[in-house]
Amino acid sequence: ACLYECEPSAGLYRLWDEAESDHPDYNEWQLHKMPIKKSFCDSWYTACANDYFCGSGDYFECAAYYDANAEKAAAEGDN
């Protein structure tokens, strides 16, 4: 999600636009032919090599996992 959220030019390389949202392969996050320097990829990999993702690594699955654990921690903190 970081690339999509932080890279200002990412939107220029979206494979699909909103007018194609009824296409069966539509994925609003899918990028296509975005030029990325090897050094950028290597740096990104090195920075994240030891990171862990919850579940299948799906951003929204992780967000739900985080929210559930945050609520649990808040409830435990009230005791």
Side-chain angles (χ1 to χ4, degrees):
C2 184
L3 178 66
Y4 301 110
E5 300 291 331
C6 301
E7 176 54 51
S9 64
L12 299 173
Y13 297 94
R14 289 178 56 192
L15 181 60
W16 307 99
D17 62 29
E18 286 82 14
E20 301 170 297
S21 63
D22 60 344
H23 191 282
D25 294 329
Y26 177 78
N27 175 346
E28 69 178 305
W29 294 96
Q30 187 173 354
L31 300 179
H32 184 68
K33 295 188 177 183
M34 183 175 179
I36 300 177
K37 291 175 59 176
K38 180 185 180 308
S39 60
F40 178 81
C41 290
D42 290 344
S43 296
W44 193 4
Y45 176 81
T46 300
C48 301
N50 295 319
D51 288 353
Y52 294 95
F53 294 93
C54 53
S56 63
D58 176 275
Y59 174 77
F60 298 104
E61 181 181 353
C62 289
Y65 177 82
Y66 173 82
D67 291 341
N69 283 318
E71 289 174 13
K72 182 180 174 184
E76 290 173 355
D78 291 338
N79 294 334

